[in-house]
Amino acid sequence: MLRRNNSLSLITLAVLAACLLATGAVRAGEYHGPLQNTCSDCHTAHASVRGQTWTPTPHLLKNSNGEVSLCMSCHDGTDPQAPDIVASGTASNPTDTVTTLYTSKFGSSAGFFQSDYLTASSPYGHDLAPAFSVSAPLSSGYTKSGGLTCADCHDVHGNDNYRNLLPDPNPAHPGSYSIVIGTQVKETTPVNAQNPNPAVAYDTANVSLYVNNNINAWCTDCHDLLAANSAGSAPAHFRGHPTDVQIGGIGKHTDSANWISPGSGPNTGFGSDVNDSIPGIPRVRYGSPTGSNTIAGSTDTVSCLSCHKAHGSKYKQATVWPLQQAGADMISGCQQCHFK
């Protein structure tokens, strides 16, 4: 009888597991998968603050300071297996210095928060400080009290999207957006789940975009006043900066010859570094038909990530170069496409 009961129990567990998988209740996650994480990395089964019995924090999280602190306990450069997204600067004195050595001139592909992300509201990226309310710029009404959290953009347990991005970051503005490796995004060197390689995998030079990448649709789920390439009065053509439009298209006030040039020369916008006192910066990110980030063409498109970092940067509005700020590179990113 005992052997039979054990067999039945095993069968019951197997059926239950199959049902959970079929309903999507258990997700492997592109990054927080079983090869990288276990439940106990983030949760405690019986009480979420060890040594303080029966005083659990929400969702049995191990860190009593909240979700953002828990995420940053790995993603602040202290864990060499996790992407480093916290710079050493502050909201009043931002830097791009992080512990992980990203080798490309634009550093980590998603950018970074400054070290006082829990206490200061910052003009250099998305706000995480819980004491501040967030109102999304260029939005018809996205607001959130208590600051943003990582889970406002990422599915912490995982999904099929690149970097576990939520398919719908703004439930009040319905939409569902796929951002998948091989279709919208390309990695030259994929993430190694068993032997993580964040210094390579998350470097901007390693991550490129296809033409139809859904990045703009995803961002404008919250920043919805930018959602459409709506027509403007001549000679503007558009009311705002267009996205998903070919750089070499007719009547866009662009210079495709300059864009596809080798990327050098006075006033072309191209250079070897950012903020080196010489006009010109490395080629900004773009979408291409092949997902290339090294061979530019007239059918390439720009996206939000061409000019901005998703988490933040050391420049206002999280731009990748000091746009509208003093310095030799102030218009360099613009010049690459427009060459005025």
Side-chain angles (χ1 to χ4, degrees):
M1 287 293 293
L2 180 59
R3 181 174 296 174
R4 183 185 177 199
N5 287 342
N6 283 344
S7 298
L8 288 173
S9 297
L10 289 173
I11 292 172
T12 301
L13 288 172
V15 171
L16 177 60
C19 291
L20 287 172
L21 288 169
T23 59
V26 175
R27 300 300 298 269
E30 187 184 1
Y31 295 100
H32 284 187
L35 294 177
Q36 296 174 303
N37 298 86
T38 62
C39 304
S40 59
D41 287 334
C42 299
H43 302 276
T44 299
H46 300 119
S48 58
V49 183
R50 291 181 178 179
Q52 299 180 34
T53 307
W54 308 119
T55 57
T57 56
H59 311 297
L60 294 175
L61 295 177
K62 288 170 65 173
N63 193 313
S64 61
N65 292 323
E67 176 199 317
V68 174
S69 291
L70 175 64
C71 296
M72 295 305 189
S73 67
C74 289
H75 292 283
D76 62 354
T78 56
D79 185 345
Q81 296 186 332
D84 182 4
I85 60 171
V86 179
S88 60
T90 63
S92 59
N93 186 27
T95 75
D96 55 4
T97 304
V98 293
T99 302
T100 299
L101 180 61
Y102 296 107
T103 58
S104 74
K105 297 300 183 180
F106 288 133
S108 63
S109 59
F112 38 79
F113 303 96
Q114 300 300 322
S115 63
D116 56 352
Y117 57 86
L118 283 179
T119 58
S121 179
S122 173
Y124 302 98
H126 285 100
D127 268 330
L128 301 178
F132 295 89
S133 295
V134 173
S135 295
L138 297 168
S139 167
S140 62
Y142 183 92
T143 59
K144 185 175 184 288
S145 61
L148 296 173
T149 67
C150 306
D152 287 316
C153 293
H154 300 276
D155 186 336
V156 295
H157 290 136
N159 59 28
D160 297 326
N161 266 354
Y162 185 57
R163 297 191 179 174
N164 295 349
L165 290 172
L166 295 173
D168 182 15
N170 182 7
H173 189 257
S176 183
Y177 310 103
S178 295
I179 303 175
V180 180
I181 287 183
T183 304
Q184 283 83 29
V185 183
K186 182 178 181 180
E187 286 183 339
T188 304
T189 301
V191 169
N192 188 323
Q194 292 180 299
N195 297 292
N197 53 342
V200 174
Y202 294 88
D203 195 293
T204 298
N206 186 57
V207 182
S208 54
L209 305 172
Y210 289 93
V211 169
N212 299 313
N213 50 59
N214 283 342
I215 296 294
N216 304 302
W218 193 91
C219 294
T220 56
D221 200 39
C222 293
H223 305 280
D224 59 287
L225 295 182
L226 295 172
N229 290 326
S230 52
S233 301
H237 299 296
F238 296 100
R239 290 183 181 177
H241 196 289
T243 55
D244 298 328
V245 175
Q246 292 183 4
I247 291 173
I250 298 173
K252 307 300 187 298
H253 297 291
T254 55
D255 189 323
S256 58
N258 187 68
W259 170 253
I260 64 178
S261 69
S264 62
N267 303 317
T268 62
F270 296 103
S272 60
D273 208 345
V274 183
N275 246 2
D276 59 356
S277 301
I278 302 172
I281 62 175
R283 192 181 298 273
V284 297
R285 198 178 328 199
Y286 57 95
S288 75
T290 62
S292 169
N293 62 358
T294 57
I295 304 174
S298 61
T299 58
D300 297 335
T301 60
V302 296
S303 71
C304 304
L305 295 183
S306 298
C307 301
H308 302 275
K309 291 283 190 177
H311 292 148
S313 76
K314 69 174 183 178
Y315 305 118
K316 292 180 179 179
Q317 288 84 48
T319 54
V320 300
W321 79 91
L323 177 67
Q324 297 181 340
Q325 293 178 239
D329 288 332
M330 184 169 62
I331 62 170
S332 291
C334 306
Q335 282 290 84
Q336 293 184 5
C337 290
H338 298 284
F339 193 46
K340 300 297 183 184

